[in-house]
Amino acid sequence: MTMTETTSPATRRLIAENARFVAELADRHSVTLESLLAILRSTRLGDQAARAAAIDVAAAALVGLRTETDHQRSVTLEPVVGAFQRLRADLRPLVRFGGLDVQFVEPPATGRALPGEVAHAARAIVRTAVLAFVDSGDTSRVRIQWDCDGLNLLIRIRDDGRGELTVHDDSLRPIAERVAALGGELDVSSTPGWGSDVGIVLPLDPPDQLEPLEDVSELSVRERDVLRLLVEGRPNGEIARVLGISVNTVKFHVSNLLRKTGSRNRAELAGLAR
């Protein structure tokens, strides 16, 4: 059985995207270098004009390269073991200078490679959770474990602190938002005096693309008013004030919008509307 036969469709799409990016990047480098050489060889341009033209070409090429590189980081596959090693490096200062005892449980070397977006989010999630544990007080030991079940990256972080964290804790809000954006799951369990346990499940394959909002359902005029303000990032109370309705009525319309569009949360609904 070949590698192509054993990889998922999503993984094959990422591999193809990476190959396309490398090919396009080579073409762009060639065009940029050819343009610079043409400018430098030109007998029609003086030194000052040639220098200005070369700077313009190089600056434009650099901006384009940085833009493409930022995009590529989100789609490039990253070996799960390598991603975990980068996490260890990220936490090294906290371990060395913060007096924190961190135990790392390595993921299996045979685990699926992680999409760049998932790998980056996973490291950020762990860093945020560790800092939340430390800020909660009395934490001296943290255990960090990554695993793969073939479809998901499984993350578990446990401390020996006060055991007071909940899934609604403000310090964990950035984690909840990242997990929700990736279609994952977050669970927090705490035992007073024994510590807290944060569990995260992140899908390795991108979720199915939602249909454009206008193709999903017919919305009432009031629902469209609420949606427009929701897309602007306004909270329920402000939406209620602008439209002259109660907060409960706003919640009712938001609930209907979520149901009609099949969105899982406000962020997904706003993204779909855009």
Side-chain angles (χ1 to χ4, degrees), residues 202-230:
L202 297 180
L204 299 185
D205 294 321
D208 295 334
Q209 294 295 319
L210 294 173
E211 301 175 66
L213 188 56
E214 58 270 20
D215 296 339
V216 174
S217 59
E218 290 295 331
L219 304 180
S220 69
V221 174
R222 181 59 80 192
E223 286 170 343
R224 292 185 181 277
D225 290 339
V226 171
L227 181 60
R228 174 176 53 83
L229 296 171
L230 185 148

Side-chain angles (χ1 to χ4, degrees), residues 68-230:
E68 284 294 327
T69 300
D70 288 342
H71 169 71
Q72 184 63 11
R73 284 174 180 168
S74 69
V75 299
T76 301
L77 293 174
E78 190 171 341
V80 63
V81 174
F84 194 75
Q85 290 303 320
R86 289 185 61 183
L87 170 65
R88 297 185 68 157
D90 290 346
L91 293 177
R92 189 171 294 126
L94 192 59
V95 174
R96 291 184 60 187
F97 307 113
L100 188 66
D101 179 14
V102 181
Q103 178 186 3
F104 296 95
V105 181
E106 299 263 356
T110 55
R112 272 184 59 184
L114 308 179
E117 183 180 11
V118 174
H120 177 75
R123 288 190 291 268
I125 285 170
V126 173
R127 291 194 301 267
T128 302
V130 171
L131 291 176
F133 284 150
V134 172
D135 290 344
S136 67
D138 297 332
T139 295
S140 60
R141 184 179 297 106
V142 175
R143 185 175 187 267
I144 301 169
Q145 179 177 4
W146 281 16
D147 201 354
C148 287
D149 64 2
L151 297 176
N152 305 282
L153 174 64
L154 311 175
I155 303 173
R156 188 157 293 278
I157 314 124
R158 181 173 179 81
D159 81 331
D160 63 348
R162 297 175 181 173
E164 298 175 349
L165 282 179
T166 71
V167 72
H168 303 295
D169 196 286
D170 285 343
S171 62
L172 297 184
R173 183 176 301 172
I175 292 178
E177 292 175 352
R178 278 184 175 269
V179 171
L182 292 172
E185 300 175 5
L186 170 65
D187 177 68
V188 180
S189 60
S190 298
T191 303
W194 289 87
S196 300
D197 194 351
V198 177
I200 300 107
V201 178
L202 297 180
L204 299 185
D205 294 321
D208 295 334
Q209 294 295 319
L210 294 173
E211 301 175 66
L213 188 56
E214 58 270 20
D215 296 339
V216 174
S217 59
E218 290 295 331
L219 304 180
S220 69
V221 174
R222 181 59 80 192
E223 286 170 343
R224 292 185 181 277
D225 290 339
V226 171
L227 181 60
R228 174 176 53 83
L229 296 171
L230 185 148

